[in-house]
Amino acid sequence: ISFLCAFCLGMLAALKKDLEVYYGPYVEFMRNVPPISLIALLILWFGIGETSKIIIIVLASFFPMFMNIRKGLLSCDKKLLEVGKTCGLSKKASFFKIRLFWALPDILVGMRIGLGYSWRAIIGAEMIAAGKGLGYLILDAQQMSRSDKVIVGIFVIGLTGLLCDKVFLWIIKKCVRGGVENS
């Protein structure tokens, strides 16, 4: 959900730069509001359940993806765009064959950062408003003075996050020629 929204809005932001005057302050405002701070409001509106957690995850992962997609699409080499125009590419073809290809590394980096942010957000949301999950397990163990369960919960979170990141890097290497550096 988050990637789809970030991609569509990032594409719109890159192609219609003059609209930033209208949406820019709202994006910056929401980017600086920690998603976990909205949990009380979300519980009032949607209750303790999956909807609140999904909204927290979407908000946490949207902004790094949006910013990277926008940056990647805007930073396309102007000379490549000129070559495409000279070769007779339409604006649509130029976007998909040049600009999107150029932005792919930034898009993938944004997705990787967004994945990490979403993982942190779900654990935080589970600690505050859930009846199950790793965050709930850690908070429950803390209240029962069970440091062994807290440590196991932290270890599972770190290991799961590490495995998700490694799987994502593997997918990137399979999908993108040359892979990603610093893996």
Side-chain angles (χ1 to χ4, degrees):
I1 296 170
S2 189
F3 175 74
L4 192 62
C5 292
F7 185 78
C8 292
L9 293 174
M11 195 169 57
L12 183 66
L15 296 175
K16 301 287 186 185
K17 291 179 273 192
D18 53 326
L19 294 178
E20 187 171 358
V21 173
Y22 301 109
Y23 73 82
Y26 301 109
V27 168
E28 283 304 309
F29 176 82
M30 285 306 296
R31 188 174 70 87
N32 288 298
V33 173
I36 206 76
S37 69
L38 301 172
I39 196 77
L41 195 58
L42 293 171
I43 289 171
L44 287 172
W45 290 347
F46 302 105
I48 296 177
E50 298 303 310
T51 305
S52 297
K53 289 190 266 185
I54 289 170
I55 292 170
I56 293 295
I57 293 169
V58 168
L59 287 172
S61 59
F62 171 80
F63 293 102
M65 286 191 278
F66 171 77
M67 303 296 273
N68 276 290
I69 290 166
R70 184 178 169 275
K71 177 207 169 272
L73 292 172
L74 285 174
S75 67
C76 185
D77 189 352
K78 303 297 181 216
K79 291 178 184 174
L80 287 175
L81 294 172
E82 288 176 23
V83 168
K85 192 174 185 177
T86 303
C87 291
L89 289 178
S90 67
K91 284 188 177 186
K92 183 179 177 182
S94 177
F95 176 81
F96 285 105
K97 292 184 178 186
I98 298 173
R99 205 177 275 261
L100 192 59
F101 184 75
W102 184 272
L104 191 59
D106 287 313
I107 292 170
L108 294 173
V109 166
M111 289 175 71
R112 186 175 178 200
I113 294 169
L115 180 66
Y117 279 24
S118 65
W119 186 242
R120 290 180 191 146
I122 190 60
I123 299 301
E126 286 177 352
M127 290 181 118
I128 296 171
K132 59 184 175 182
L134 285 172
Y136 175 78
L137 174 99
I138 290 171
L139 196 61
D140 187 53
Q142 179 257 331
Q143 291 171 348
M144 299 294 201
S145 298
R146 295 287 312 264
S147 59
D148 58 329
K149 283 189 173 186
V150 172
I151 292 169
V152 167
I154 292 168
F155 181 75
V156 169
I157 290 168
L159 186 61
T160 305
L162 178 66
L163 289 173
C164 286
D165 189 61
K166 292 296 181 189
V167 167
F168 190 73
L169 283 174
W170 179 80
I171 291 169
I172 290 171
K173 286 179 181 180
K174 292 294 180 190
C175 294
V176 177
R177 189 170 19 126
V180 174
E181 296 297 319
N182 297 329
S183 57

